[in-house]
Amino acid sequence: MRKPLIAANWKMYKTPAEAVAFTEAFLPLTASNRHAEIVLFPSATSLPAVIDAIHSSHIRVGGQDMHWLDEGAYTGATSPIMLKALGCTHVLIGHSERRQYFGETDETVNRKLKSALAHHLVPIVCVGEHLAERESSHTASVLKRQVAAALLGVDPNHAAPLVIAYEPVWAIGTGLTATPEIAEEAHKIIRAQVAASLNSIVAASTRILYGGSVKPENASSLCRLSDIDGALVGGASLDPSSFAQIVHNAMA
Ligand code: PEP
């Protein structure tokens, strides 16, 4: 069985004080949740405060990005051992905003994924097509290429925590959401590529999340589909009651 995972990507929003205020409001709203893994991805500067605030709760915390190396002369970067030392359990890898604005490539995604697995961080690898790629019928080839490149050289025996997020770029922060049919079809393509790159056992246990303008109103229709194992939420995760409602509706 794949445990549903609902993740909040706060991007470059919230000071530590604002992040703690969110957490204090959010915890009681989801205290009865026993079924979903809930993960918050604050900005790097808010990680210590949020990890402190969620202490001994059911919530987990992860980094929005990391370098693949343990240490080195890489100004501005955060290493996997730094995330682990803070108490992070998860890490986002290859978000489309990292690919678009910070030069993330399929190759760096692959390095980061291998590093996260080696450090026992749960990696959420983001893939997704641009609007022009969808309109020119290249969605399947883009998804296969991104997943195959991310998984190149990954040992299937050590891939177990792998999570992939299908995030069509045209749906991120735009208010446009993939229909359940579009999302389900993309998730099947991704799962088939995980089977081809690793094996069918890993593919069957890999959680594939949908991301792209998930809101309380659409969480249920997306997350009830058999190949959709949860959601990666941006804008609607910034408000505690909206994100709690998404968790609730996704499990309904
Ligand atoms: C995201 O940033 O991963 C995301 C899905 O954003 P939004 O929900 O705002 O579209």
Side-chain angles (χ1 to χ4, degrees):
M1 283 300 290
R2 301 188 293 262
K3 183 170 187 171
L5 194 165
I6 314 291
N9 175 16
W10 290 348
K11 312 190 186 200
M12 199 171 70
Y13 293 98
K14 296 192 188 295
T15 63
E18 289 165 344
V20 169
F22 172 104
T23 311
E24 285 169 354
F26 179 72
L27 279 178
L29 298 176
T30 52
S32 62
N33 163 68
R34 292 284 171 277
H35 302 297
E37 187 174 323
I38 302 173
V39 190
L40 304 178
F41 290 93
S43 70
T45 55
S46 290
L47 284 170
V50 173
I51 288 167
D52 200 37
I54 55 101
H55 181 68
S56 77
S57 80
H58 55 294
I59 312 289
R60 298 286 170 267
V61 178
Q64 293 180 9
D65 181 41
M66 65 170 209
H67 201 287
W68 57 87
L69 293 175
D70 288 1
E71 59 182 9
Y74 299 100
T75 302
T78 306
S79 85
I81 55 172
M82 293 169 183
L83 293 180
K84 291 277 289 191
L86 284 179
C88 289
T89 51
H90 294 62
V91 63
L92 290 180
I93 296 175
H95 190 281
S96 64
E97 287 152 13
R98 302 294 316 171
R99 294 180 192 253
Q100 188 174 349
Y101 304 122
F102 299 98
E104 188 87 275
T105 64
D106 286 346
E107 194 203 331
T108 56
V109 167
N110 175 247
R111 289 180 187 217
K112 291 177 181 185
L113 171 58
K114 287 180 187 159
S115 174
L117 291 170
H119 287 281
H120 305 289
L121 284 160
V122 177
I124 302 183
V125 177
C126 304
V127 298
E129 80 285 2
H130 286 264
L131 184 59
E133 292 167 332
R134 170 157 290 277
E135 289 180 341
S136 58
S137 305
H138 286 114
T139 299
S141 60
V142 168
L143 295 178
K144 287 181 195 171
R145 190 204 76 228
Q146 290 179 335
V147 174
L151 297 178
L152 197 67
V154 168
D155 180 351
N157 297 317
H158 296 114
L162 175 68
V163 181
I164 295 178
Y166 169 57
E167 298 214 303
V169 180
W170 48 269
I172 296 180
T174 59
L176 299 172
T177 315
T179 62
E181 293 73 25
I182 286 177
E184 180 84 339
E185 187 192 5
H187 285 220
K188 285 189 193 308
I189 292 166
I190 291 167
R191 202 175 298 287
Q193 185 57 51
V194 176
S197 293
L198 300 176
N199 61 46
S200 55
I201 297 169
V202 176
S205 64
T206 296
R207 290 174 293 176
I208 305 178
L209 316 182
Y210 170 77
S213 299
V214 173
K215 307 182 254 301
E217 304 80 57
N218 57 27
S220 168
S221 59
L222 287 159
C223 292
R224 78 159 65 103
L225 297 172
S226 62
D227 259 304
I228 300 184
D229 305 309
L232 177 54
V233 188
S237 74
L238 292 169
D239 175 73
S241 50
S242 156
F243 189 52
Q245 196 62 51
I246 288 172
V247 173
H248 181 76
N249 293 356
M251 293 297 102

